Amino acid sequence: MTLRTTDVDGRTGEHGVDARRSALPCDAQAAPWVDRLWSAVLAGDTYAALDVVDDALGAGLEPETVLLDVIGAVQRRVGVEWAANRLSVAGEHAATAINDRAIAVLPVRRTDAPHGRIVIACVDQEWHALPARLVAETLRLRGWQVDYLGAQVPTAHLIGHIHRTGPDAVCLSSSLATRLPLAHSAITAVQAAGAPVMTGGLAFGADGRYARLLGADAWAPDARAAADRLAAGPLPRPSPAHQVIDDLPHLGDQEYTMVARSSARLVRDTFHALQERFAFVRDYTDEQRERTAEDLAHIVDFLTASLYVDAPEIFTEFIAWTADVLAARGVPARALVPGLDLLEEQLRDFPRARDFIDAGRSTLTARL
């Protein structure tokens, strides 16, 4: 059972679970520039990519259009191509770096009277920084003072920055649902420090349902929506400090806590059981063993996140996405089933976890 969903933990830039969403349609005016930039990115040619940005600006495209409808559109295509196995991890890394460099050549609007000060950061352990960067640059173009803190910002350091700078709002970004517990901690800590929180990124659901569940003061589906919301007026002041369980009373059953604490053991024991019950696993190379263990860890991580917000769809969507990624790499979806079965055996005393695993298995069965 080699699953090989390579680097879905977010260490590879902009692919991972993000790739389950297809590229959004871009402005018709931007389409030719998207094609040119994609060609430059695919060739790994940074200079050609920068020329595309310069030429697009020279042709009259607004900087925000270049940022979101050209560079942003190409980055979304990077994720789609990686998921379809038409772009390697190395190619994805190179493409993301080029797009990040392309953003840097866009003009920065300077103003003596900014609309206000906004802090933008990825939650702790969230490595997908480019979506947050797009929000930061959009706000800068629209005349805001922006403190862009980048990827995986520890909550304690974020709070220290807030106390030093007194921003009007904090924008928190997360692309992977496995970061939701950390996002929740960051939201409540920022609010306790007196700043309202806007969240964004696929981790919070396509409709923002998990942002609301975790008590965020606002949610935006993309950079333009975030900028429009901030321009519409101040975010509501945060509610008084409260405990995590006040937002998520189901955590009282302790399933999330127990599964999270035993995650390493669950992965280890599931892998050992695979070796004992399936002879072909015992014949794996060292690399195949390592990859299988990593993939089991991803499954446990998404199960844990699902338990945290009591949302089985987080787990089933991840299983469906993984099956698609495997299919693109010539591995049948049924390769996931033994691992799910063995994991469920270990969680016999956790009814919510077992129900979620059963839902994931049903998702796979529908694809067989």
Side-chain angles (χ1 to χ4, degrees):
M1 190 188 80
T2 300
L3 310 186
R4 194 59 298 209
T5 55
T6 308
D7 286 343
V8 72
D9 62 352
R11 290 177 291 180
T12 60
E14 303 309 314
H15 63 66
V17 181
D18 304 34
R20 69 175 179 261
R21 293 180 66 184
S22 59
L24 300 175
C26 66
D27 186 279
Q29 187 182 16
W33 304 103
V34 172
D35 292 338
R36 281 187 56 187
L37 182 59
W38 174 251
S39 296
V41 163
L42 204 59
D45 192 335
T46 300
Y47 295 109
L50 301 184
D51 287 342
V52 171
V53 173
D54 285 340
D55 291 348
L57 293 170
L61 264 69
E62 292 294 327
E64 185 174 307
T65 299
V66 176
L67 175 68
L68 301 179
D69 297 329
V70 178
I71 299 173
V74 167
Q75 188 60 33
R76 289 189 291 272
R77 185 171 177 181
V78 168
V80 171
E81 294 298 295
W82 175 85
N85 202 30
R86 293 189 293 265
L87 190 66
S88 69
V89 172
E92 184 276 334
H93 278 235
T96 299
I98 291 172
N99 282 332
D100 197 60
R101 181 66 182 86
I103 292 172
V105 303
L106 292 172
V108 177
R109 177 179 177 181
R110 299 179 182 274
T111 176
D112 294 329
H115 300 315
R117 187 169 192 167
I118 307 296
V119 171
I120 297 178
C122 295
V123 301
D124 198 4
Q125 298 184 21
E126 177 57 72
W127 287 86
H128 293 83
L130 198 60
R133 178 98 189 271
L134 294 176
V135 176
E137 299 306 324
T138 300
L139 291 177
R140 284 196 181 106
L141 289 170
R142 295 196 187 187
W144 292 84
Q145 181 181 354
V146 177
D147 298 346
Y148 171 63
L149 306 186
Q152 59 148 11
V153 180
T155 298
H157 293 271
L158 174 62
I159 298 306
H161 184 84
I162 292 169
H163 285 311
R164 287 193 301 273
T165 60
D168 296 284
V170 174
C171 295
L172 293 175
S173 176
S174 185
S175 294
L176 295 177
T178 53
R179 312 304 183 224
L180 286 175
L182 290 168
H184 195 191
S185 297
I187 291 168
T188 55
V190 170
Q191 291 172 332
V197 179
M198 174 185 286
T199 61
L202 289 176
F204 298 100
D207 58 358
R209 67 183 63 183
Y210 308 124
R212 293 186 292 272
L213 186 65
L214 301 183
D217 301 296
W219 167 80
D222 53 46
R224 281 197 178 94
D228 290 345
R229 175 61 188 86
L230 290 170
L235 298 184
R237 302 311 300 176
S239 57
H242 60 284
Q243 300 297 314
V244 165
I245 201 166
D246 294 332
D247 295 324
L248 305 174
H250 60 268
L251 293 179
D253 67 11
Q254 295 294 303
E255 284 207 30
Y256 162 75
T257 301
M258 298 297 289
V259 173
R261 288 178 178 174
S262 60
S263 59
R265 178 185 59 78
L266 288 169
V267 173
R268 183 186 66 245
D269 291 352
T270 300
F271 181 71
H272 288 166
L274 281 171
Q275 289 182 305
E276 291 174 359
R277 299 192 190 184
F278 299 95
F280 66 89
V281 178
R282 293 194 292 274
D283 295 330
Y284 277 178
T285 65
D286 289 342
E287 182 179 1
Q288 286 175 314
R289 292 189 184 94
E290 181 180 351
R291 297 295 180 250
T292 299
E294 288 176 356
D295 294 328
L296 288 171
H298 296 323
I299 290 173
V300 172
D301 285 346
F302 274 87
L303 176 63
T304 303
S306 297
L307 292 170
Y308 188 81
V309 292
D310 197 30
E313 63 271 16
I314 287 178
F315 186 67
T316 57
E317 288 175 6
F318 169 71
I319 293 297
W321 174 83
T322 302
D324 290 342
V325 170
L326 291 175
R329 287 151 176 78
V331 180
R334 64 177 176 273
L336 290 164
V337 175
L340 294 180
D341 291 343
L342 293 170
L343 182 61
E344 185 177 16
E345 287 181 15
Q346 297 182 69
L347 294 171
R348 62 178 62 87
D349 296 325
F350 300 92
R352 280 202 297 134
R354 289 172 62 91
D355 286 346
F356 291 3
I357 292 172
D358 186 60
R361 189 166 40 235
S362 296
T363 298
L364 289 176
T365 301
R367 293 168 173 264
L368 298 179

